[in-house]
């Protein structure tokens, strides 16, 4: 029969790789908690209109990458391509806008985008993200950057750099946009085909095109940071002062504009050289108009999304600590039915005490059991047969030294707990 394979651009993850994922996700939750964020969970799919309005009709994500489907009643849904739009919808729908400000949420979610799969880019991917609403000042921008920075540092990632930029607000961006369009129009013929389209719809995106010719043109383009209004300029200066005073390294990168339409003022990326072409591990920024655009009150927002696959790639290439499975403290090898019951009693006692312990459930021979215990990396093995049950004394074997000692079966669990 023909084998069924996973969809292109998706992943199957087993241990030891999944142990790294668990460790990274635990770290994310721990750091987010320390910063006062709580977890929010929203549906994997939403009405397609949410993403059209919330991500932007002109973006690649909405135009080319969305997994959309019709439900049995004719409604059209899409698998979420990102997290922000859903969180904003949920805040509005659940009346969270009357909670004390700022609102601070984090999530760990799978996202779906129909993209060309390659290293660091898949069709289903996981993202850690945070959202903060209600705080308009640069201190909020700093808090999100600082959270991402703390996480990246604590995961042992090296050679990662914070790139920041400001793309202005509805006050100053239109004039800048005109200037940019004028400059790009003069060089239109040298732009790649996609950028020719972007020039009409979303000219700022030309600045982050990866095409060589477009890059050269972007080098000489007018910079948004040179065209900010007084408020946007002051916002950026304050953020920079905070980064400086807290010792967070950054570069001002005028080509960072972010892929999604809704950004205002601060945009930022953490970029890690050495993990290949898909080097942006974390991307975020401010979106002061988004809540209103989705039918809520006018509440300023900021947040970021961090791709977990790229994060783990960066950890590996940094030689960062990678977790190992919790060691197996005891393997109990029973011979016979009565011994099997006794061995269940011992492992239950240990597991209840938080210790990893296992015993045979396959009715294997002693030899096969010892081989298996060795494969599992057990530190001790306890062998129990009928005569051991009779005398209440069994042999416990230190699997590293092969040293064997006699022990009262009733003391075995205690012995293991004390040996840890
Ligand atoms: P990119 O420039 O890589 O296309 P993006 O601007 O589309 O990224 P965002 O929508 O801001 O990315 O998503 C935030 C983060 O999620 C990215 O920085 C990246 O780490 C990760 N990410 C985005 N798309 C993918 C994907 N297809 N596969 C794996 N990770 C992804
Ligand atoms: Mg993308």
């Amino acid at each position: 029969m023909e084998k069924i394979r996973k969809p292109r651009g998706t992943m199957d993850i087993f241990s030891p790789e999944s142990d790294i994922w668990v460790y990274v996700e635990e770290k994310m939750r721990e750091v987010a908690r320390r910063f006062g964020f709580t977890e929010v969970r929203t549906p994997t799919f939403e009405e397609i209109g949410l993403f059209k309005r919330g991500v932007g009709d002109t973006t690649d994500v909405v135009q080319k990458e969305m997994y959309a489907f019709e439900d049995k009643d004719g409604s059209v849904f899409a698998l979420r391509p990102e997290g922000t739009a859903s969180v904003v919808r949920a805040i509005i729908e659940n009346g969270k806008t009357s909670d004390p400000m700022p609102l601070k949420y984090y999530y760990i979610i799978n996202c779906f985008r129909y993209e060309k799969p390659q290293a660091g880019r898949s069709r289903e991917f996981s993202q850690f993200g945070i959202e903060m609403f209600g705080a308009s000042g640069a201190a909020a921008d700093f808090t999100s950057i600082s959270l991402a920075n703390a996480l990246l540092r604590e995961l042992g990632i090296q050679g990662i750099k914070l790139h920041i930029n400001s793309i202005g607000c509805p006050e100053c961006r239109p004039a800048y946009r005109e200037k940019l369009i004028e400059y790009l129009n003069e060089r239109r013929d040298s732009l790649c085909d996609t950028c020719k389209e972007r020039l009409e719809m979303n000219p700022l995106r030309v600045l982050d095109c990866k095409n060589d010719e477009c890059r050269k043109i972007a080098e000489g383009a007018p910079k948004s940071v040179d065209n900010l209004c007084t408020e946007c300029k002051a916002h950026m200066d304050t953020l920079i002062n905070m980064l400086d005073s807290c010792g967070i390294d950054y570069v001002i990168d005028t080509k960072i504009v972010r892929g999604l339409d809704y950004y205002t003022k601060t945009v930022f990326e953490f970029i890690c050289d050495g993990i290949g072409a898909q080097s942006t591990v974390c991307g975020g920024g401010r979106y002061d108009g988004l809540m209103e655009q989705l039918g809520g009150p006018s509440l300023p927002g900021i947040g970021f999304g961090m791709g977990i696959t790229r994060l783990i790639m960066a950890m590996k290439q940094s030689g960062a600590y990678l977790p190992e499975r919790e060691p197996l403290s005891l393997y109990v090898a029973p011979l016979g039915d009565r011994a099997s019951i006794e061995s269940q009693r011992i492992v239950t006692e240990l597991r209840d005490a938080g210790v990893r312990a296992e015993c045979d459930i396959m009715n294997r021979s002693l030899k096969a059991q010892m081989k298996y215990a060795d494969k599992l990396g057990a530190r001790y093995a306890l062998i129990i047969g009928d005569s051991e049950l009779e005398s209440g004394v069994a042999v416990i074997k230190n699997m590293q030294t092969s040293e064997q000692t006699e022990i009262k079966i009733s003391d075995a669990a205690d012995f293991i707990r004390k040996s840890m």
Side-chain angles (χ1 to χ4, degrees):
M1 230 196 305
E2 207 185 317
K3 277 197 201 113
I4 297 178
R5 293 176 186 282
K6 64 177 161 33
R8 199 161 123 75
T10 62
M11 289 182 283
D12 299 317
I13 307 174
F14 288 96
S15 177
E17 189 68 13
S18 57
D19 302 328
I20 303 175
W21 281 73
V22 170
Y23 161 73
V24 165
E25 290 174 8
E26 278 170 358
K27 195 67 165 172
M28 288 167 165
R29 292 193 159 93
E30 186 222 307
V31 175
R33 242 190 336 260
R34 225 188 297 149
F35 277 74
F37 287 70
T38 56
E39 182 155 331
V40 59
R41 298 189 183 210
T42 62
T44 308
F45 62 100
E46 298 269 4
E47 271 182 38
I48 195 166
L50 174 68
F51 301 119
K52 287 189 174 167
R53 263 207 281 165
V55 175
D57 245 337
T58 64
T59 56
D60 286 353
V61 169
V62 167
Q63 291 205 328
K64 303 178 191 155
E65 299 170 2
M66 209 130 70
Y67 277 94
F69 61 96
E70 196 174 306
D71 208 341
K72 294 189 196 307
D73 67 1
S75 346
V76 182
F77 293 105
L79 300 180
R80 64 182 163 215
E82 52 98 59
T84 302
S86 301
V87 173
V88 175
R89 180 207 43 74
I91 288 172
I92 299 168
E93 191 168 336
N94 293 279
K96 296 293 175 195
T97 50
S98 40
D99 282 6
M101 294 289 150
L103 307 174
K104 288 157 78 179
Y105 304 113
Y106 78 88
Y107 49 79
I108 297 172
I109 56 169
N110 51 351
C111 301
F112 307 84
R113 297 185 193 177
Y114 189 80
E115 300 204 73
K116 193 165 159 247
Q118 52 195 285
R121 189 179 294 291
S122 46
R123 291 183 173 173
E124 179 180 13
F125 62 96
S126 291
Q127 228 185 45
F128 165 66
I130 67 153
E131 307 290 343
M132 203 180 337
F133 285 93
S136 60
D141 309 35
F142 174 77
T143 304
S144 354
I145 291 174
S146 167
L147 195 164
N149 185 64
L151 178 62
L152 295 167
R153 200 184 53 230
E154 288 174 36
L155 286 173
I157 294 171
Q158 320 253 315
I160 193 156
K161 191 98 194 176
L162 167 64
H163 293 234
I164 60 171
N165 189 22
S166 173
I167 54 170
C169 66
E171 200 61 46
C172 51
R173 193 155 58 203
Y176 167 67
R177 196 171 178 272
E178 285 314 310
K179 251 194 210 177
L180 181 65
I181 291 175
E182 195 180 317
Y183 170 88
L184 293 174
N185 259 328
E186 284 163 15
R187 291 153 184 84
R188 191 172 193 283
D189 293 344
S190 316
L191 293 173
C192 74
D193 288 344
T194 322
C195 280
K196 285 189 181 112
E197 269 174 49
R198 284 180 182 142
L199 183 48
E200 314 298 327
M201 306 224 286
N202 195 350
L204 264 74
R205 290 238 40 206
V206 175
L207 299 178
D208 93 327
C209 181
K210 303 289 180 277
N211 176 292
D212 280 344
E213 206 48 43
C214 299
R215 277 181 113 127
K216 267 185 230 149
I217 294 174
E219 272 320 316
K223 298 175 175 25
S224 54
V225 284
D226 296 333
N227 292 273
L228 298 176
C229 60
T230 326
E231 193 199 312
C232 286
K233 177 82 175 66
H235 188 98
M236 190 172 186
D237 288 345
T238 309
L239 173 60
I240 283 172
N241 278 334
M242 287 174 174
L243 292 171
D244 284 338
S245 76
C246 294
I248 299 180
D249 246 4
Y250 60 87
V251 286
I252 296 189
D253 182 343
T254 57
K255 293 193 292 298
I256 301 276
V257 297
R258 307 292 308 123
L260 312 180
D261 266 356
Y262 48 56
Y263 289 98
T264 50
K265 290 185 179 152
T266 311
V267 284
F268 64 89
E269 292 187 0
F270 281 87
I271 299 177
C272 187
D273 291 327
I275 58 167
Q278 311 312 322
S279 54
T280 301
V281 171
C282 173
R286 179 166 278 287
Y287 19 86
D288 288 347
L290 182 63
M291 181 79 71
E292 221 172 357
Q293 191 170 320
L294 289 174
S298 164
L299 266 191
I302 182 148
F304 66 70
M306 195 181 275
I308 302 183
T309 313
R310 291 184 204 176
L311 184 71
I312 291 174
M313 285 162 71
M315 285 169 66
K316 287 180 178 166
Q317 89 117 23
S318 303
Y321 164 80
L322 299 175
E324 274 158 28
R325 270 185 92 188
E326 197 188 322
L328 176 58
S329 298
L330 178 68
Y331 182 87
V332 186
L335 295 165
D337 292 345
R338 274 180 59 220
S340 181
I341 292 168
E342 178 61 9
S343 69
Q344 289 296 355
R345 192 197 57 74
I346 297 169
V347 295
T348 302
E349 185 181 334
L350 283 168
R351 288 166 178 168
D352 284 351
V355 178
R356 186 176 157 212
E358 296 195 32
C359 65
D360 176 72
I361 53 172
M362 301 282 294
N363 285 319
R364 284 194 177 114
S365 71
L366 181 60
K367 200 175 154 209
Q369 287 198 51
M370 294 313 281
K371 215 169 139 187
Y372 183 62
D374 201 41
K375 210 171 247 170
L376 292 179
R379 290 171 50 222
Y380 286 96
L382 180 72
I383 301 152
I384 309 176
D386 283 340
S387 62
E388 281 81 5
L389 286 177
E390 221 52 64
S391 63
V393 175
V395 162
I396 195 161
K397 182 177 174 187
N398 181 321
M399 298 294 281
Q400 261 126 44
T401 61
S402 291
E403 188 191 338
Q404 306 204 14
T405 28
E406 288 202 329
I407 190 169
K408 274 169 81 182
I409 294 175
S410 55
D411 290 345
D414 228 31
F415 170 82
I416 292 296
R417 286 166 66 179
K418 289 201 178 107
S419 77
M420 291 180 64

